[in-house]
Amino acid sequence: MSGRRIAYLNARLIDPESGRDETGALLTEGETIADLGPGLFDDGLPDGVFPIDCGGRILAPGLIDARVFVGEPGSEHRETFASAGKAAAAGGVTTMLTMPNTDPVIDDVALVEYMARLARDSARVRVHPMAALTKGVAGREMTEFGLLAEAGAVALTDGVRAITDSRVMRRCLSYADTFDLVVCQYPEDPSLAPDGVMNEGELCMRLGLAGIPCQAETIMVERDLRLVALTGGRYHAAALSTAEAIDAVREAKAAGLRVSAGALVHSFALNETAVGSYRTFAKTAPPLRAEADRRAVVAGLADGTLDLIASGHDPQDVESKRLPFAQAATGIIGLETLLPLTLELYHNGELPLARALGCLTSRPAAVFGLPQGRLAPGAPADLAEIDLDVPHRIDEDGLRSKSKNTPFGDRPVQGRVTRTVVAGETVFRHGRD
Amino acid sequence: MPGNEHSGYPHPHLLGIEGLAPSEIEAILDLSEKYVTQNRQVDKKQSVLRGRTQINLFFESSTRTRTSFELAGKRLGADVINMSADGSAIKKGETLIDTAMTLNAMHPDVLVVRHPDSGAVELLSQKVDGAVINAGDGSHEHPTQALLDALTIRRRLGRLSGLIVAISGDILHSRVARSNILLLNIMGARVRVVAPPTLLPGDIDRMGVEVFHDPKRGLADVDIVMMLRLQTERMQGSFVPSVREYYRYFGLDRAKLAYAKPDALIMHPGPMNRGVEIDSDVADDIQRSVIREQVEMGVAVRMAMLDLLAHHRRNTLAGLVA
């Protein structure tokens, strides 16, 4: 099959999977990457190839955001696939993995198909829905893993809820392995933090708020790892925020368990002091932790214990944030801030560039078995052109998400996406869209 | 210099004890003394708040604090209006901020606010033009309670600095405990907390207190024993196993009180659960218990706060006009 041929010239090609980092050109043909490398068009462009000059900027695989909440269906006033797709494209995100915590919950084959169709019709980027692990995300009865996967579910998760019943979790891990599916857990034991709204500690005590202790995460991760050892299943801890849970995953990986883990941007870009005096835009899941935990997240990303970085994009309308802290909605948006905030790790000297980008591309692709996330002949032509150094401030009013609940407004950052390509088509250009 | 007694409190609101300077607390207590005297006269009425509107906005039920603020406002000549969560728009789903905006449009000079959520009063204060007094927000602060406690202690013992104060009871959920710990530390007292670990925040030592789980040791040689009310719904096995077990090991009775200094004062913010956290015999000891005096000081302290905030507001407005 052939299609329109586009040459991306004068690009710094970075492919985290292969370690490629060199100046050259890339050719797409239709929806796939046909060829790339230095000196690709040294003999001139062949006829019928449309040239795009990257001006020396980075050309990397499009980003894969492994934890995205979209309001559709059920909460279209917060976010639709159309608005999330625009935000994603502007953020260089070419693939969104969406959470099943919608209304209705995505726990049924028809709903997965509906989601996939809705996304295809209205989102500018690829959408892979995750389906619920248990019916109604109630944590009791398993959903139809095989049929859901066939319908397009990329992984299984109860999203914002942990599977607390150990027997249910054991069965989910065992049964999911039949279909080679990843069980994706949000590891927080709710019984240790029934009313918790922020990290338990001194600040929380002074503010008179109910805390979520680190142990709520550690206990859940440690239990899960034992069940992984018992069942041999595949497990992904969706959002780690504590030093001890990261240590547990590090040991489990060393022991050869089939385990992966992610961190959300806010877990390394902020600490609990951002809550200040009851700032509800800093009310997140997992909660913002102490500085030592924030540093442990950075270390976990640096040594590979944490496989990927996701935004945890969770749009909440302003009204649900303009409330007393305990009543305010949890969650922040992140599709458009994912890249610049991840690049802080590179600019601060904490992660090499290829690893920082790998956490957003090749590694989530590996965890979830996706063909995208790399620059290689035959791979999907999903690309992000990045101006690595340009300084700017995050402009919350300019964000494309329907909801503007970000704690990062006005934060000075370096680097932005200048062009986003999905399946060979440009879906975003900085200054144009 | 006229108005000198009002110059010691430079803040537009009273949202908490945190952030207040020792001199500011002294200024509040000094002015309160004047109102203690005045409240003991036959004619208690003044006109310093004449023409001013005070709204008591209570999202959580309260009898004594609301009454105390109401009396304080009326004795200063303000027009006082009480609003409670029952029967108001709050029950109909109006948000706190909408309520704040609505009330603000009526130009109240002072809003006295109690709310079950920590931080809610501060949030409200950001949306109104008038002065805001925190009458208790969640488990965060209850500053006028700490001020009236300080006034009671200072009048009895002549000072706050150097005293040893034991606070006993449900520290975990108590805004009274937080405000008192802050104030007593600012004023140079030594604070102990005495409670079972389930009723203490894990990081309470970070507030500069000594932690005791045994009342005999915790009350040893203290100048003041401050008992906190225990919510009975927290006594059914969730935080402590039963009322009788709590009373046995933590309730203040003669035997435990014997470990304190012989003339140690007994305080309680009220309302008391007799036979739960405090024995009737101890609570009614007229030599030692200052519980009723605390109520009296409450009105005086609230009058002083209303006076100070009204004064600050007058000066700010004068500044705007000039």
Side-chain angles (χ1 to χ4, degrees):
Chain A
M1 190 189 105
S2 68
R4 200 154 78 100
R5 297 203 294 166
I6 300 171
Y8 297 85
L9 305 169
N10 190 21
R12 180 179 169 190
L13 302 168
I14 297 186
D15 178 41
E17 190 186 59
S18 64
R20 180 198 294 271
D21 183 352
E22 60 194 0
T23 300
L26 181 141
L27 176 69
T28 65
E29 193 167 322
E31 299 187 1
T32 55
I33 297 172
D35 201 357
L36 76 162
L40 183 59
F41 298 112
D42 279 0
D43 304 331
L45 273 186
D47 283 348
V49 174
F50 182 79
I52 289 174
D53 185 358
C54 295
R57 290 182 288 272
I58 290 172
L59 196 62
L63 314 184
I64 299 169
D65 190 340
R67 190 170 174 84
V68 176
F69 296 86
V70 179
E72 204 168 353
S75 300
E76 287 80 359
H77 64 289
R78 290 198 264 128
E79 193 87 288
T80 59
F81 276 105
S83 62
K86 270 185 204 164
V93 174
T94 52
T95 300
M96 298 192 285
L97 273 53
T98 57
M99 296 293 114
N101 310 86
T102 46
D103 184 16
V105 164
I106 308 304
D107 59 357
D108 182 89
V109 171
L111 288 165
V112 171
E113 286 169 347
Y114 168 74
M115 284 275 280
R117 192 168 60 244
L118 199 62
R120 199 167 46 241
D121 292 348
S122 53
R124 292 181 181 184
V125 304
R126 294 179 204 270
V127 175
H128 296 301
M130 287 198 199
L133 260 173
T134 64
K135 288 175 187 159
V137 295
R140 288 191 291 273
E141 300 161 58
M142 285 189 288
T143 54
E144 298 164 311
F145 293 0
L147 294 174
L148 289 167
E150 248 185 77
V154 68
L156 301 160
T157 183
D158 273 4
V160 293
R161 291 198 199 171
I163 305 289
T164 53
D165 187 307
S166 303
R167 189 177 58 167
V168 172
M169 189 60 172
R170 177 185 181 176
R171 286 184 182 155
C172 286
L173 284 163
S174 297
Y175 189 65
D177 202 29
T178 316
F179 305 100
D180 203 26
L181 283 165
V182 185
V183 170
C184 195
Q185 170 91 310
Y186 174 68
E188 183 179 288
D189 180 352
S191 69
L192 260 181
D195 321 305
V197 293
M198 73 169 289
N199 184 41
E200 185 172 298
E202 183 182 351
L203 182 61
C204 164
M205 173 194 61
R206 286 182 180 275
L207 293 174
L209 295 171
I212 302 171
C214 289
Q215 286 75 10
E217 179 172 304
T218 317
I219 286 172
M220 194 52 77
V221 168
E222 287 182 343
R223 181 209 65 174
D224 286 347
L225 293 174
R226 287 178 191 278
L227 294 174
V228 171
L230 179 67
T231 58
R234 283 184 64 198
Y235 174 77
H236 177 72
L240 294 186
S241 66
T242 67
E244 290 184 349
I246 294 167
D247 287 343
V249 168
R250 188 176 288 118
E251 282 172 33
K253 285 187 164 187
L257 297 186
R258 299 162 77 201
V259 170
S260 57
L264 303 189
V265 167
H266 66 250
S267 294
F268 62 78
L270 293 171
N271 66 23
E272 62 179 349
T273 58
V275 174
S277 60
Y278 306 104
R279 196 163 167 236
T280 57
F281 276 16
K283 186 176 177 184
T284 63
L288 299 176
R289 297 288 187 187
E291 176 60 12
D293 289 305
R294 188 197 71 80
R295 282 204 295 257
V297 170
V298 174
L301 289 165
D303 74 6
T305 302
L306 296 172
D307 296 82
L308 62 87
I309 295 169
S311 72
H313 182 85
D314 191 359
Q316 301 290 345
D317 56 288
V318 171
E319 287 314 309
S320 63
K321 284 284 189 184
R322 289 172 68 208
L323 291 170
F325 199 87
Q327 289 179 34
T330 304
I332 61 178
I333 56 167
L335 282 164
E336 288 168 83
T337 48
L338 176 64
L339 179 77
L341 293 169
T342 299
L343 286 177
E344 283 186 355
L345 296 171
Y346 159 70
H347 289 299
N348 294 342
E350 289 162 328
L351 252 63
L353 182 58
R355 184 176 284 279
L357 291 175
C359 289
L360 301 173
T361 56
S362 57
R363 300 174 88 196
V367 168
F368 295 103
L370 304 172
Q372 55 266 40
R374 58 214 174 93
L375 298 185
D382 291 2
L383 306 168
E385 184 196 76
I386 299 164
D387 185 335
L388 183 60
D389 294 316
V390 61
H392 59 106
R393 282 179 185 273
I394 290 171
D395 168 22
E396 56 188 296
D397 296 329
L399 296 176
R400 287 144 185 93
S401 178
K402 254 191 178 181
S403 300
K404 313 289 186 198
N405 52 308
T406 176
F408 298 112
D410 228 27
R411 178 160 165 141
V413 289
Q414 249 183 300
R416 68 153 50 106
V417 171
T418 47
R419 177 192 291 269
T420 306
V421 177
V422 175
E425 297 290 332
T426 292
V427 293
F428 169 78
R429 280 183 75 184
H430 176 64
R432 298 268 189 100
D433 295 87
Chain B
M1 179 178 156
N4 195 32
E5 62 188 354
H6 295 98
S7 61
Y9 188 84
H11 309 286
H13 308 296
L14 176 68
L15 300 176
I17 297 297
E18 184 154 42
L20 296 186
S23 64
E24 293 162 12
I25 291 169
E26 293 283 4
I28 299 167
L29 299 183
D30 290 346
L31 185 59
S32 302
E33 293 280 6
K34 189 182 109 180
Y35 286 115
V36 175
T37 310
Q38 190 199 305
N39 284 340
R40 290 178 178 177
Q41 310 296 314
V42 177
D43 183 1
K44 302 174 181 63
K45 190 111 176 172
Q46 282 223 349
S47 57
V48 294
L49 291 191
R50 195 176 58 202
R52 308 293 184 98
T53 306
Q54 170 188 340
I55 299 181
N56 297 334
L57 181 58
F58 277 62
F59 296 88
E60 200 179 73
S61 65
S62 157
T63 309
R64 53 178 65 210
T65 305
R66 206 208 63 212
T67 307
S68 183
F69 271 111
E70 184 175 356
L71 212 50
K74 285 182 170 164
R75 283 185 181 167
L76 292 175
D79 297 314
V80 184
I81 289 150
N82 290 312
M83 276 186 69
S84 61
D86 307 320
S88 79
I90 315 306
K91 280 269 163 73
K92 296 169 197 155
E94 190 179 78
T95 67
L96 178 65
I97 287 177
D98 287 338
T99 306
M101 306 283 228
T102 305
L103 291 179
N104 195 45
M106 302 175 193
H107 303 294
D109 299 281
V110 184
L111 280 161
V112 177
V113 187
R114 170 170 288 190
H115 197 282
D117 284 316
S118 301
V121 179
E122 184 179 325
L123 177 66
L124 186 140
S125 76
Q126 294 160 6
K127 309 291 173 188
V128 298
D129 302 315
V132 173
I133 297 179
N134 182 358
D137 65 324
S139 306
H140 179 225
E141 284 227 45
H142 189 358
T144 56
Q145 179 70 44
L147 288 163
L148 73 90
D149 288 341
L151 182 63
T152 308
I153 297 169
R154 202 178 76 164
R155 284 172 59 89
R156 279 286 185 132
L157 302 180
R159 68 199 163 105
L160 293 163
S161 177
L163 297 176
I164 307 177
V165 183
I167 305 177
S168 177
D170 183 359
I171 313 285
L172 182 64
H173 300 96
S174 177
R175 53 196 176 213
V176 174
R178 279 174 183 72
S179 287
N180 263 309
I181 291 168
L182 290 165
L183 186 147
L184 291 166
N185 272 326
I186 291 169
M187 301 310 287
R190 283 174 57 193
V191 185
R192 299 176 179 179
V193 292
V194 185
T198 47
L199 292 176
L200 286 169
D203 297 270
I204 190 71
D205 57 312
R206 301 296 294 270
M207 290 192 80
V209 298
E210 292 175 89
V211 181
F212 293 88
H213 305 314
D214 175 2
K216 288 174 194 150
R217 294 181 54 218
L219 299 189
D221 298 319
V222 300
D223 297 287
I224 289 143
V225 184
M226 205 178 263
M227 300 305 294
L228 298 176
R229 174 183 164 77
L230 215 81
Q231 306 282 334
T232 42
E233 64 269 22
R234 296 189 175 127
M235 305 281 299
Q236 315 297 329
S238 46
F239 290 90
V240 291
S242 69
V243 169
R244 71 173 185 183
E245 179 151 318
Y246 185 82
Y247 181 62
R248 169 80 177 269
Y249 295 105
F250 293 94
L252 187 67
D253 55 18
R254 288 272 169 213
K256 294 189 196 81
L257 187 59
Y259 290 90
K261 281 195 180 146
D263 54 351
L265 300 179
I266 299 156
M267 306 181 77
H268 193 298
M272 286 183 281
N273 297 307
R274 292 166 184 268
V276 178
E277 72 263 354
I278 191 162
D279 186 62
S280 275
D281 181 38
V282 173
D284 298 332
D285 182 339
I286 51 166
Q287 300 301 317
R288 316 273 302 264
S289 169
V290 293
I291 294 168
R292 272 181 290 275
E293 210 169 304
Q294 287 172 271
V295 178
E296 184 191 354
M297 295 307 120
V299 179
V301 157
R302 286 161 184 139
M303 288 170 82
M305 269 332 298
L306 290 168
D307 186 356
L308 288 168
L309 291 173
H311 214 86
H312 177 92
R313 197 167 144 71
R314 187 182 307 139
N315 289 340
T316 313
L317 290 175
L320 284 177
V321 172

